[in-house]
Amino acid sequence: MMSRTPDARARDNQTRKIQENITNVEKHFGEMCQLFAAYVRKTARLRDKADVLVREIRLYADTETPNLKNGMKQYAEHLAKIEDYRQAEVERLEAKVIEPLKSYGAVVKRKREDLKTTQSARDREAKQMAQLERTRQRNPSDRQIIVSLLCFSNSLNIKQTAESELQRATMDATRTTRQLEETIDEFEKQKIRDIKKIFCDFVTVEMSFHCKALEVYTAAYQSMQSVDEEEDLEVFRSSLHPPDYQSRLDIVRANSKTSLDRTGSFLSTSGTLQQQRACSRQTRREEEEEDDEEVEDESEEEDADEDEEDTDDEN
């Protein structure tokens, strides 16, 4: 068999590079598609778990005190809203990331068909060249034998020569090679664009979800921070006693206050009476002392009169 020409060897190298490129895309796009799909499935499972959590928070909120109940209800609503955004995230990732990656399976298949067509044309060219070379080595001068050996069937015109068959095969190989180059060039260009778009779409979808989720998470945080703890504690403390406990407590407090007022009034009155009695006793003592003094004065006057009378008698 004759050695391959430099042009044929170059085309073989080109075919090998194209084959490697197609195989590389098929392998890694398939891997990325599976991993992105797993990512989306886990996100969907997270959404499902969050929905269960929201239901549990709502059930628990119904058993709590008014302010905490209202806060938890609002908190659950915010979490549910986030999961709505997560559902939209899942749907967008499936449409913008997974589907384009999956579509590359069909793209790669078409490129393999194009490569196969080109390779078949090159194989026919190589076969014609080898057949012509063998014929020339057997009888280089007998052109008629060469022509007869290169006929494919009785339907072919026996006037066609091996050179024309080789020329036709060469032209066909050249044409398919050029078409393959154009196809692969377009494939490579589209691949780069698609990778850029798929990866950018993934980031855009994730950023959109997280931005919206951050806003709702902030509202959820505020809904819990706004719960009035003291008011709920009062409600809880009241729930520990019978319904009429407060009224009875108010009565007891009122009675206690009345008793204290009476006690204070009594003590005040007692003090006043004691002061009045002391004053009365003091007044009586003063009056008695004055009466005693008057009696003493009268006694002294009587004694003086008696002395005077005695003196007069003596004289």
Side-chain angles (χ1 to χ4, degrees):
M1 183 180 292
M2 63 177 293
S3 61
R4 305 297 301 277
T5 63
D7 183 60
R9 287 195 298 269
R11 284 183 294 181
D12 289 342
N13 291 332
Q14 182 186 60
T15 302
R16 187 167 56 254
K17 289 291 294 182
I18 293 173
Q19 179 67 40
E20 291 174 357
N21 183 54
I22 293 174
T23 301
N24 190 56
V25 170
E26 183 180 33
K27 174 185 175 182
H28 291 289
F29 270 59
E31 290 290 337
M32 288 190 297
C33 183
Q34 291 180 5
L35 292 174
F36 273 121
Y39 179 93
V40 173
R41 286 194 299 272
K42 286 185 178 293
T43 303
R45 285 198 291 270
L46 177 60
R47 173 206 60 205
D48 295 339
K49 291 294 184 182
D51 288 340
V52 175
L53 175 62
V54 168
R55 287 196 295 271
E56 177 59 28
I57 292 175
R58 286 171 174 166
L59 289 174
Y60 174 50
D62 290 332
T63 66
E64 274 297 341
T65 49
N67 278 282
L68 184 57
K69 175 182 178 180
N70 184 55
M72 292 179 69
K73 289 282 188 179
Q74 292 180 4
Y75 186 83
E77 290 298 324
H78 292 314
L79 291 187
K81 190 174 183 180
I82 290 171
E83 297 319 306
D84 290 340
Y85 290 143
R86 202 184 303 278
Q87 174 61 25
E89 174 196 13
V90 169
E91 293 174 356
R92 291 173 183 171
L93 288 176
E94 289 176 345
K96 293 179 175 291
V97 177
I98 298 176
E99 287 301 322
L101 288 173
K102 285 173 62 178
S103 68
Y104 260 79
V107 173
V108 169
K109 184 177 180 180
R110 289 195 300 269
K111 299 311 168 187
R112 287 193 183 281
E113 292 294 331
D114 294 339
L115 183 61
K116 184 178 179 180
T117 300
T118 302
Q119 189 62 43
S120 297
R122 291 178 179 176
D123 290 342
R124 286 195 299 271
E125 178 191 19
K127 183 178 179 180
Q128 291 294 331
M129 291 180 66
Q131 188 172 3
L132 178 60
E133 182 64 21
R134 286 196 302 270
T135 303
R136 286 177 175 173
Q137 288 177 355
R138 290 174 184 173
N139 193 355
S141 62
D142 192 349
R143 307 294 293 179
Q144 186 61 34
I145 295 176
I146 295 176
V147 172
S148 62
L149 289 175
L150 291 177
C151 290
F152 291 105
S153 66
N154 294 329
S155 61
L156 293 176
N157 192 336
I158 59 174
K159 294 182 178 179
Q160 291 178 329
T161 61
E163 288 84 354
S164 64
E165 290 295 331
L166 177 60
Q167 184 179 9
R168 182 179 299 174
T170 302
M171 291 177 63
D172 186 47
T174 303
R175 178 181 56 80
T176 55
T177 299
R178 185 172 59 253
Q179 290 176 348
L180 179 64
E181 290 176 353
E182 293 174 355
T183 301
I184 292 300
D185 186 77
E186 184 62 29
F187 169 76
E188 188 68 18
K189 185 188 299 183
Q190 190 63 43
K191 180 195 73 176
I192 295 172
R193 290 175 180 173
D194 288 341
I195 289 176
K196 289 174 62 178
K197 187 176 187 305
I198 290 170
F199 284 12
C200 289
D201 284 345
F202 173 79
V203 173
T204 301
V205 170
E206 291 296 295
M207 288 177 61
S208 177
F209 165 74
H210 287 292
C211 288
K212 292 178 180 178
L214 181 60
E215 294 177 1
V216 183
Y217 276 130
T218 303
Y221 178 87
Q222 292 172 349
S223 67
M224 293 306 299
Q225 284 293 316
S226 63
V227 173
D228 191 333
E229 300 174 18
E230 294 300 325
E231 185 174 344
D232 275 5
L233 280 174
E234 289 297 326
V235 173
F236 173 74
R237 289 163 183 165
S238 299
S239 69
L240 297 178
H241 304 285
D244 59 343
Y245 172 80
Q246 186 62 39
S247 60
R248 295 206 308 270
L249 182 61
D250 292 339
I251 293 172
V252 171
R253 287 174 178 173
N255 292 337
S256 298
K257 183 177 181 181
T258 302
S259 299
L260 290 173
D261 291 343
R262 288 177 179 176
T263 301
S265 176
F266 174 75
L267 292 174
S268 176
T269 304
S270 298
T272 302
L273 290 174
Q274 290 176 357
Q275 290 177 358
Q276 290 177 353
R277 290 172 181 171
C279 290
S280 299
R281 288 195 296 270
Q282 181 68 25
T283 302
R284 284 197 299 270
R285 283 197 298 270
E286 290 176 354
E287 290 177 352
E288 290 174 355
E289 289 176 356
E290 289 178 356
D291 292 340
D292 291 341
E293 288 178 357
E294 289 178 357
V295 171
E296 289 177 357
D297 290 340
E298 291 177 355
S299 297
E300 290 177 356
E301 289 177 356
E302 291 177 356
D303 290 341
D305 290 340
E306 289 178 357
D307 288 342
E308 286 180 357
E309 291 178 357
D310 292 338
T311 304
D312 290 339
D313 292 336
E314 290 177 357
N315 293 330

